[in-house]
Amino acid sequence: MIIGLAVLTVIIVLVYVAVQDLRYAKIRNEMILLLVGQWFVLSALTGFAHLGGDLAAGGILFVLGFAAWMMRVMGAGDAKLLLAGGLLMGLPGLLPFSVLLIGTTILSVLLFSLVRIAPFGLPPAMAARLDVIVSTRRIPAAVPIAIALGGTLLLRYGIISL
C-alpha cells in the first residue's frame, strides 16, 4: 500500500513535469531532484534491493539523453528526466519503457498535428502553443517520457500487470 502511494506521488510529479514542458518548454531542475528523491524513498522501501540496476539504468538513459541533447534532438531537461526515469524504473524497466516510449511518441506527434488542424475548442492560447510546437517540430519530449515512465512504474511495482 505504501509503495502504491509512493508510485502515485511520482506519477503526479510526472504529470506536472509533462504539463510544464508542454506549456513552457521547460523542465525545472527542482522537479528532477524531487523525482530522484522519490526514487530514493521507493528504493529504501524495497530495502535497496535493486540499487545496482537502478543506477545502471539511470546512467544508460542519461548517456543516451545527453547524446540526444548534444545532437539537438532533445533539451537538457529531457536528458535529466531520463536519468531520473532510469533510476525509478531500473534495468528490468528499460524494455517496457522503450516500447511505451515509441508508442507514446508516435501518438504525441499525431495528436499534436491533429489538434493543430482541428483545435476541438481549445482555448486560443493553447491552440497557439500547439501551433508553435508543430510548426517548429519541437515536440515536448517530457509528455511521452512521462506517460511511458508512469506505465513502466505501474508495471514494475505490480500495480498493473500484463
Side-chain angles (χ1 to χ4, degrees), residues 19 33 69 111 116 124 138:
V19 169
L33 291 173
W69 172 71
L111 285 174
R116 181 180 187 205
R138 295 192 54 116

Side-chain angles (χ1 to χ4, degrees), residues 6-68:
V7 170
L8 178 62
T9 65
V10 171
I11 290 173
I12 290 169
V13 172
L14 288 171
V15 168
Y16 178 81
V17 167
V19 169
Q20 294 302 304
D21 194 32
L22 181 61
R23 292 180 74 191
Y24 306 112
K26 180 99 173 129
I27 299 172
R28 301 187 56 83
N29 288 335
E30 294 86 354
M31 294 296 103
I32 302 303
L33 291 173
L34 179 58
L35 287 167
V36 171
Q38 289 175 306
W39 161 74
F40 186 81
V41 169
L42 275 166
S43 191
L45 288 172
T46 60
F48 297 99
H50 307 285
L51 184 62
D54 293 352
L55 293 172
I60 290 167
L61 287 182
F62 180 71
V63 167
L64 293 173
F66 183 78

